[in-house]
């Protein structure tokens, strides 16, 4: 048997959801550039789940369904109040909250298509309410209910901040949600598929995926990028800081990608947004610092910036707490995870690879008193 560390280059599933070919990302055949410029997040969710763009009536109905499910029960609110919320990372809180949500859903184990579609809507709607409620409860504030007529992105910001966002803020969050929605067989999506390929339920699949996304080599990178920018502090410190990290063989967060070699097609959209937003809020230094780091790493290591790199300065200029960056990534990726979970159910086979055993052989059991 030969092994491929990290499963690099292994094609482990057929999928009709998204593809990465020649460093171009498409969702159901639409380029990410087209969608990032023109689509609402809700349209993209519909596209990923139903494999076509909705018409006006379908989108209105879909929006309505999302809105109607965008509340959380008192049990979740009380749960957030039941532990030391200041000492818990919101990704851990989200992981537990989604698992808890499954306990309260009487359809959790109903594997019919109809029930799974209803759970899909509930999960996608409730994640926005859960992330914002967590943040507000942590800040000692009242949970805010969603407002009818607002888009998914606008409602998230509304529930988070308790006031209606301006158009530029909605545009930034919508774009970020569209760009993060799906990404072929990334680590968390693969995790979700492995989980549900045992015919486990959708809540288990999503809970597993959140756990995988949490790590700094995956979704956790956006928060790590912001921590790095804050540590650097000033634009002039950027290159010496990076040189030092590289001399210590440390990885630079937000740089490099397993699949993209010439560049992550999502990064340029957030880079543009970062330039606009940081300028608007007098925070240009975060953008300038990011540019310096990106150019230097590209020159020195040939590594491109990935989607997480500029999302950090985008979210920072929107005043979003740094540890909410990865939950926002999760909120978007719920759509992709759900699409993949449903696709896995459609044509399932247990996912069970092999390992090459490299440990000791032919050992003989020794009684514990003789060891
Ligand atoms: N900073 C510095 N060097 C990096 C790097 C980074 N962010 N990412 C990769 N490299 C280097 C490695 O040190 C290694 O160099 P070497 O061959 O000289 O030892 C080489 O590039 C390959 O790295 P490897 O970790 O094996 O690549 P991978 O395909 O397994 O990892 C990532 C992909 C994304 C996990 C990796 O690029 C990374 O850790 N990036 C930072 C975290 C991040 O931003 N994650 C979000 C991804 S969207």
């Amino acid at each position: 048997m030969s092994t491929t560390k990290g499963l690099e280059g292994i094609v482990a599933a057929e999928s009709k959801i998204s593809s990465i070919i020649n460093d171009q990302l498409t969702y159901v055949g639409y380029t990410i550039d087209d969608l990032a410029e023109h689509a609402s997040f809700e349209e993209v969710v519909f596209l990923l789940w139903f494999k076509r763009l909705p018409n006006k009536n379908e989108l209105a109905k879909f929006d309505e369904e999302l809105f109607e499910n965008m509340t959380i029960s008192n049990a979740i609110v009380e749960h957030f109040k039941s532990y030391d919320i200041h000492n818990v990372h919101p990704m851990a809180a989200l992981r537990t909250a989604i698992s808890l949500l499954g306990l309260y859903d009487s359809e959790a184990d109903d594997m019919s298509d109809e029930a799974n579609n209803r759970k899909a809507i509930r999960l996608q709607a409730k994640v926005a309410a859960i992330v914002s409620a967590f943040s507000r409860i942590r800040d000692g504030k009242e949970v805010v209910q969603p407002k009818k007529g607002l888009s998914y992105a606008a409602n998230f910001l509304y529930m988070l901040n308790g006031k209606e966002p301006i158009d530029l803020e909605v545009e930034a969050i919508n774009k970020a949600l569209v760009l993060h929605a799906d990404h072929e067989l990334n680590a968390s999506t693969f995790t979700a598929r492995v989980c549900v390929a045992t015919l486990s339920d959708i809540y288990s699949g999503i809970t597993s995926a959140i756990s995988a996304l949490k790590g700094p080599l995956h979704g956790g990178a956006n928060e790590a990028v912001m921590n790095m920018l804050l540590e650097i502090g000033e634009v002039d410190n950027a290159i010496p800081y990076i040189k030092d990290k590289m001399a210590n063989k440390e990885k630079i967060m937000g740089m490099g990608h397993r699949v993209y070699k010439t560049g992550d097609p999502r990064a340029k959209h957030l880079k543009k947004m970062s330039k606009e937003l940081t300028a608007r809020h007098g925070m240009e230094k975060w953008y300038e610092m990011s540019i310096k780091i990106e150019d230097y790493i590209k020159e020195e290591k040939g590594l491109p910036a990935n989607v997480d790199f500029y999302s950090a300065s985008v979210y920072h200029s929107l005043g979003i707490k740094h540890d909410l960056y990865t939950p926002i990534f999760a909120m978007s990726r719920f759509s992709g995870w759900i699409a993949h979970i449903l696709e896995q159910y459609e044509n399932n086979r247990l996912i069970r690879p092999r390992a090459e055993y490299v440990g000791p052989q032919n050992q003989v059991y020794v009684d514990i008193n003789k060891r």
Side-chain angles (χ1 to χ4, degrees), residues 89 91 180 213-229 253-254 306-313 315 322-330:
H89 193 281
M91 279 300 279
H180 287 85
L213 187 75
K214 184 171 175 285
L217 295 189
H218 192 8
N222 52 14
E223 183 185 346
V225 170
M226 198 61 228
N227 291 339
M228 173 178 78
L229 298 181
M253 290 293 125
N306 60 50
V307 70
D308 294 307
F309 193 63
Y310 284 99
S311 64
S313 44
Y315 297 150
H322 303 153
D323 61 3
L324 295 181
Y325 295 3
T326 314
I328 293 174
F329 185 159

Side-chain angles (χ1 to χ4, degrees), residues 357-363:
Y357 179 69
V358 293
Q361 308 262 9
N362 303 323
Q363 303 235 66

Side-chain angles (χ1 to χ4, degrees), residues 217-218 221 251-258 301 303 306 308:
L217 295 189
H218 192 8
K251 280 191 167 169
I252 311 303
M253 290 293 125
M255 292 290 151
H257 200 275
R258 171 61 67 78
K301 297 266 310 181
L303 291 172
N306 60 50
D308 294 307

Side-chain angles (χ1 to χ4, degrees), residues 180-236:
H180 287 85
D182 195 50
H183 208 216
E184 203 220 47
L185 265 201
N186 60 89
S188 55
T189 301
F190 186 55
T191 304
R193 288 189 81 130
V194 170
C195 176
V196 302
T198 67
L199 295 186
S200 189
D201 67 288
I202 197 164
Y203 286 98
S204 303
I206 298 289
T207 305
S208 316
I210 295 169
S211 312
L213 187 75
K214 184 171 175 285
L217 295 189
H218 192 8
N222 52 14
E223 183 185 346
V225 170
M226 198 61 228
N227 291 339
M228 173 178 78
L229 298 181
L230 290 168
E231 221 175 292
I232 293 172
E234 297 303 329
V235 179
D236 287 345

Side-chain angles (χ1 to χ4, degrees), residues 274-291:
S274 165
K275 185 173 185 191
E276 208 173 325
L277 280 165
T278 52
R280 191 187 170 100
H281 294 286
M283 296 183 181
E284 292 88 343
K285 76 172 180 181
W286 306 116
Y287 176 74
E288 286 162 20
M289 201 184 281
S290 303
I291 293 276

Side-chain angles (χ1 to χ4, degrees), residues 112-176:
S112 66
D113 291 349
E114 297 74 22
N116 277 335
N117 288 337
R118 286 192 292 272
K119 284 180 272 181
I121 288 275
R122 287 203 277 275
L123 276 158
Q124 188 64 61
K126 291 188 192 308
V127 61
I130 288 174
V131 173
S132 46
F134 173 90
S135 175
R136 290 192 69 84
I137 291 168
R138 185 170 64 173
D139 290 348
K141 294 177 179 160
E142 286 295 310
V143 171
V144 174
Q145 298 305 315
K147 191 169 188 173
K148 206 169 172 64
L150 295 187
S151 66
Y152 189 97
N155 244 330
F156 168 65
L157 289 172
Y158 178 68
M159 291 188 288
L160 184 68
N161 300 323
K163 64 175 185 348
E164 275 197 47
I166 61 167
D167 289 349
L168 185 62
E169 291 168 338
V170 178
E171 186 193 339
I173 290 294
N174 184 71
K175 218 171 267 247

